[in-house]
Amino acid sequence: MFNKLLLLILTLISCNFFTLADINNQVQIENGKIEGIYNKDRSIAIFKGIPYAKAPINNLRWKKPQKLENWDNIKYTVVDSDGCIQNRVKGDKLPWTKEFLHQGLVSEDCLYLNIWAPVKSKKELPVIIYLHGGGFVEGSTNIAIYDGENLAKQDVIFVSFNYRLGIFGMMAHPSLTKEEGKSGNYTFYDQIAAIQWVKNNIKQFGGNPNNITLLGQSAGANSIMLLNASPLTRNLYNKAIMLSAPGTTISDYGIHPTDNIQYNLSDVEKKFSNWATKFNYLTLDSLRAAPALELLANFTEDTPFKGAVIDGEFLPDTVTNLYKNQSANKIDIMAGTVWDERGSEKEYNVITINELHDYIDKFYPKNKDRVFNFYQPTNNLEARENYKKLLRDQNNYAMQWLANQRISSTHNANYLYVLKRAIPWPEHGTFGAFHSSDLPYFLNNLDKLDRPWTENDININQSFINYMINFVKTGEPNDKNSNWKPFKKNGFILCFDEIIGPCPKIDIDILDMISHRDN
């Protein structure tokens, strides 16, 4: 009896102090066995180039992602896949240096994902799924700043994936609609397929399929806004983090982004039908037979549309109406913007008084005197600074407006932030805290950029990571030493700068003035 009791006690102790299951670099998933590699200290198992759907080539071009067939032999998943078809970049495209950009090969055979998983864990780990940015026309998993090893060392599983871009992800056409009953949104159907794959398989990597957080930046954040509204994503994930959230990005959907991010299917069909005729693609067969790079070149020359369509399935209605009807996903959100979202634009640091007049005339035609009087410059130098202030006020308003939309629909917590700190970059200081500059801090990858980082940067990085990992694990960003309050109307927003603390509130009259911008 004593020996049995002792054995039971030792068993319980072992369960509490040793791993429940060590993750090997060989994993059995639903379609077969895969083998990855370890990082240098063998604390993280890394799997790159795991297929999550069939290659969307030939007759599968412009079809929803198709389920994979099973394989018998071990599939070696040790190198990044090609990026989806896009214009290749070599080197830098300032302010984005090569670490922010896809530098590798491209292919239509691109529906793959990467996983970084801690080797040892005492319990199922929370999962982060990263949706890359790139304006829906560029980006991939194979980008230095997106590497997941440093985040995985925080006791989470990090997943990134490719999705179809440009004409391959956005095409809607009458012939496609006739074939399938609807067309368009292939980008977003890919995203859903990847998230569903993770939901189905992540337990094999030590992950908790019931604790999944989406993390998206720029186009990835725009995607999350759409995914949250779609009825196809119910119960697929539990929380979301949106960096450069819709309405604050250089891809301008206006300050009321849920009104402008989607279009009627018939309108988009007409745009692409006219585009196809212009380039002499007169049948669906000719479109599917066209070389991918030829289609890319023609789409780059004349871009008829980028975005989502109301197709009756992915989006049964506008995002605005789906929020109003309280049918959006009821999840907690962390969202934010950077101080100089449009710092990459040429006019950002050279705008004149007359050009500021033109901007206000264009976007505030019914309110231009009030707006111009408030941002009134006396010289061109003041015009540049006041233009920046106007853009920042618009971004702040849009972020708050979208949070209020979510709160009124779901009543869930929303945690908002602004990153004011610019990456230290003496050679290019005029870019400021440019679009995407929060990524090294949020993804814990300061070591992937050769910059003169300071103690302040390290502090911001650590603060971001602490807040984010707490949020990913529990839905609550705070620990006993912090107090990031959920946002309420014109309420708390956390600023990351020389000092990390509450952002100054914008006067209610300024928000009212900004709200009358014509989209």
Side-chain angles (χ1 to χ4, degrees):
M1 180 67 182
F2 175 79
N3 289 338
K4 289 183 179 179
L5 182 60
L6 180 60
L7 180 60
L8 176 61
I9 292 172
L10 290 173
T11 301
L12 291 172
I13 290 173
S14 68
C15 286
N16 285 328
F17 288 90
F18 297 95
T19 60
L20 294 176
D22 289 357
I23 301 304
N24 198 287
N25 68 326
Q26 282 192 5
V27 175
Q28 178 70 45
I29 56 177
E30 59 186 354
N31 293 111
K33 185 173 283 189
I34 60 172
E35 182 173 315
I37 57 175
Y38 294 110
N39 67 338
K40 287 183 180 179
D41 65 10
R42 297 181 68 84
S43 64
I44 305 295
I46 303 170
F47 304 84
K48 292 187 173 184
I50 305 173
Y52 68 86
K54 286 184 177 179
I57 58 176
N58 302 324
N59 288 336
L60 296 185
R61 181 187 279 177
W62 300 308
K63 285 185 181 288
K64 291 181 186 178
Q66 305 292 304
K67 289 186 176 182
L68 290 164
E69 296 176 0
N70 295 340
W71 57 83
D72 295 324
N73 298 323
I74 294 175
K75 187 179 289 291
Y76 294 97
T77 52
V78 296
V79 295
D80 284 289
S81 68
D82 294 346
C84 291
I85 294 291
Q86 60 194 280
N87 290 305
R88 292 182 64 188
V89 178
K90 293 183 179 180
D92 302 337
K93 189 171 71 172
L94 296 180
W96 303 285
T97 52
K98 62 184 180 180
E99 297 90 349
F100 289 87
L101 302 166
H102 178 78
Q103 306 278 313
L105 299 175
V106 298
S107 170
E108 282 188 90
D109 181 5
C110 62
L111 300 186
Y112 296 85
L113 52 78
N114 297 343
I115 296 176
W116 288 261
V119 171
K120 294 181 179 293
S121 176
K122 297 176 184 177
K123 57 185 177 181
E124 290 183 340
L125 296 176
V127 181
I128 298 173
I129 303 178
Y130 182 66
L131 289 79
H132 70 74
F136 296 122
V137 294
E138 60 182 302
S140 76
T141 62
N142 187 12
I143 290 176
I145 208 71
Y146 300 164
D147 187 275
E149 181 178 340
N150 289 338
L151 268 185
K153 287 182 177 179
Q154 304 297 313
D155 246 8
V156 299
I157 292 178
F158 186 81
V159 182
S160 61
F161 66 92
N162 294 333
Y163 53 84
R164 280 175 281 183
L165 303 166
I167 190 167
F168 302 96
M170 304 291 178
M171 169 77 111
H173 191 279
S175 296
L176 288 168
T177 301
K178 183 178 180 181
E179 181 181 75
E180 296 288 335
K182 59 184 67 66
S183 60
N185 292 335
Y186 304 106
T187 290
F188 309 110
Y189 286 114
D190 288 350
Q191 292 173 354
I192 292 172
I195 297 166
Q196 184 67 66
W197 187 98
V198 174
K199 181 87 168 172
N200 293 347
N201 289 278
I202 204 64
K203 197 166 187 175
Q204 304 305 112
F205 298 84
N208 183 350
N210 297 313
N211 192 3
I212 293 175
T213 301
L214 300 190
L215 168 60
Q217 187 265 342
S218 191
N222 292 339
S223 297
I224 289 174
M225 183 176 76
L226 291 161
L227 293 166
N228 282 346
S230 175
L232 300 183
T233 64
R234 297 295 177 267
N235 303 315
L236 276 186
Y237 54 92
N238 310 90
K239 298 175 289 294
I241 303 171
M242 303 162 72
L243 314 186
S244 290
T248 69
T249 68
I250 56 176
S251 301
D252 194 351
Y253 292 112
I255 59 172
H256 303 120
T258 59
D259 294 339
N260 302 299
I261 199 169
Q262 71 283 293
Y263 290 79
N264 290 321
L265 174 58
S266 59
D267 293 338
V268 178
E269 286 177 336
K270 290 175 186 176
K271 291 175 184 288
F272 273 110
S273 185
N274 292 336
W275 176 89
T277 300
K278 173 182 176 178
F279 290 105
N280 204 33
Y281 302 121
L282 303 182
T283 65
L284 182 55
D285 286 342
S286 66
L287 280 164
R288 285 204 168 115
L293 295 182
E294 176 187 293
L295 290 170
L296 172 66
N298 292 335
F299 181 82
T300 303
E301 176 186 331
D302 179 6
T303 304
F305 175 77
K306 290 189 302 177
V309 297
I310 302 170
D311 64 355
E313 185 177 1
F314 174 65
L315 286 183
D317 203 341
T318 67
V319 175
T320 296
N321 286 340
L322 291 167
Y323 276 119
K324 283 181 179 177
N325 297 335
Q326 299 190 344
S327 56
N329 274 335
K330 293 175 171 53
I331 60 172
D332 294 336
I333 299 282
M334 181 183 289
T337 182
V338 295
W339 195 232
D340 298 290
E341 284 284 358
R342 304 185 94 106
S344 62
E345 296 177 352
K346 183 171 62 175
E347 63 269 23
Y348 194 70
N349 288 290
V350 298
I351 198 167
T352 65
I353 292 177
N354 289 336
E355 289 168 335
L356 179 58
H357 264 293
D358 292 342
Y359 181 90
I360 292 172
D361 282 342
K362 177 180 178 181
F363 290 109
Y364 294 92
K366 300 173 185 176
N367 203 31
K368 59 185 178 182
D369 291 339
R370 182 185 178 195
V371 176
F372 197 77
N373 285 338
F374 185 81
Y375 298 98
Q376 176 73 51
T378 59
N379 54 53
N380 285 336
L381 182 59
E382 282 188 8
R384 295 166 200 167
E385 293 310 307
N386 290 356
Y387 175 65
K388 293 178 183 180
K389 177 172 172 50
L390 173 55
L391 293 182
R392 289 164 179 162
D393 288 346
Q394 288 180 159
N395 288 349
N396 198 302
Y397 170 85
M399 179 172 64
Q400 293 190 41
W401 181 86
L402 187 56
N404 285 325
Q405 294 286 302
R406 292 191 297 261
I407 292 166
S408 64
S409 173
T410 70
H411 308 291
N412 285 82
N414 279 249
Y415 300 92
L416 303 187
Y417 76 89
V418 176
L419 174 64
K420 291 187 174 183
R421 169 72 174 172
I423 288 176
W425 200 8
E427 303 92 332
H428 297 287
T430 57
F431 290 127
F434 62 88
H435 184 68
S436 305
S437 62
D438 47 354
L439 286 171
Y441 300 101
F442 248 106
L443 299 181
N444 207 21
N445 278 334
L446 298 189
D447 62 340
K448 301 298 187 295
L449 274 181
D450 183 16
R451 300 289 187 271
W453 302 112
T454 68
E455 186 176 342
N456 183 213
D457 295 298
I458 294 169
N459 184 38
I460 288 173
N461 171 220
Q462 194 57 57
S463 295
F464 263 134
I465 294 305
N466 288 343
Y467 282 126
M468 184 175 72
I469 296 300
N470 287 337
F471 180 76
V472 165
K473 289 181 177 180
T474 69
E476 160 66 56
N478 297 299
D479 55 28
K480 62 183 180 181
N481 299 315
S482 58
N483 187 26
W484 187 349
K485 299 175 184 176
F487 175 80
K488 296 180 181 178
K489 191 171 184 179
N490 196 24
F492 189 95
I493 300 174
L494 188 61
C495 271
F496 291 83
D497 202 359
E498 297 296 325
I499 296 174
I500 300 171
C503 297
K505 289 188 179 181
I506 299 180
D507 188 272
I508 196 72
D509 290 336
I510 299 175
L511 292 175
D512 176 70
M513 177 178 65
I514 293 295
S515 72
H516 292 91
R517 179 186 189 269
D518 279 12
N519 286 322

